[in-house]
C-alpha cells in the first residue's frame, strides 16, 4: 500500500508496504507501473514534468532533444 504523495517522492513520513512489510519507494513505483499506474511529478513553478514513469523505456521527441542538448556529441546510446 502506498499513497500518491509518497510515490511522487514527497517526504510524507509514510513508508510503502507490501503484504504488511515495508518496501522501498522504487519498488512501490515498479509495482505501480506493472499495474498500469504511472506516476508523474511536476515542477508547478514551470509546468515541466520532472519525473515521468513509463510502461516502456522509449524516449519521446522532447526527451531525445533534452539528452542531445545536455550531452556533447548527442545521445550516449548508439542507434
Amino acid at each position: 500500500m502506498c499513497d500518491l504523495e509518497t510515490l511522487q517522492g514527497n517526504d510524507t513520513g509514510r513508508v510503502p508496504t507490501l503484504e504488511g512489510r515495508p518496501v522501498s519507494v522504487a519498488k512501490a513505483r515498479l509495482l505501480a507501473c506493472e499495474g498500469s499506474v504511472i506516476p508523474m511529478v511536476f515542477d508547478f513553478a514551470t509546468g515541466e514534468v520532472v519525473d515521468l514513469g513509463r510502461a516502456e523505456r522509449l524516449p519521446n521527441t522532447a526527451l531525445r532533444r533534452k539528452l542531445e542538448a545536455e550531452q556533447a556529441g548527442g545521445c550516449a546510446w548508439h542507434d
Side-chain angles (χ1 to χ4, degrees):
M1 175 180 282
C2 184
D3 59 46
L4 181 59
E5 289 181 351
T6 303
L7 275 180
Q8 290 172 334
N10 297 331
D11 186 13
T12 61
R14 296 182 290 269
V15 176
T17 59
L18 177 63
E19 297 178 353
R21 293 189 304 221
V23 294
S24 68
V25 172
K27 178 69 174 178
R29 284 183 176 181
L30 176 66
L31 293 171
C33 184
E34 289 176 350
S36 298
V37 176
I38 308 296
M40 294 184 352
V41 179
F42 291 90
D43 178 347
F44 289 105
T46 64
E48 181 181 11
V49 176
V50 294
D51 184 16
L52 174 63
R54 298 173 187 251
E56 295 181 359
R57 292 180 54 100
L58 301 173
N60 60 19
T61 302
L63 178 58
R64 182 158 181 87
R65 285 184 188 141
K66 182 178 185 313
L67 289 172
E68 289 172 351
E70 290 177 350
Q71 296 184 19
C75 185
W77 186 260
H78 299 289
D79 299 325

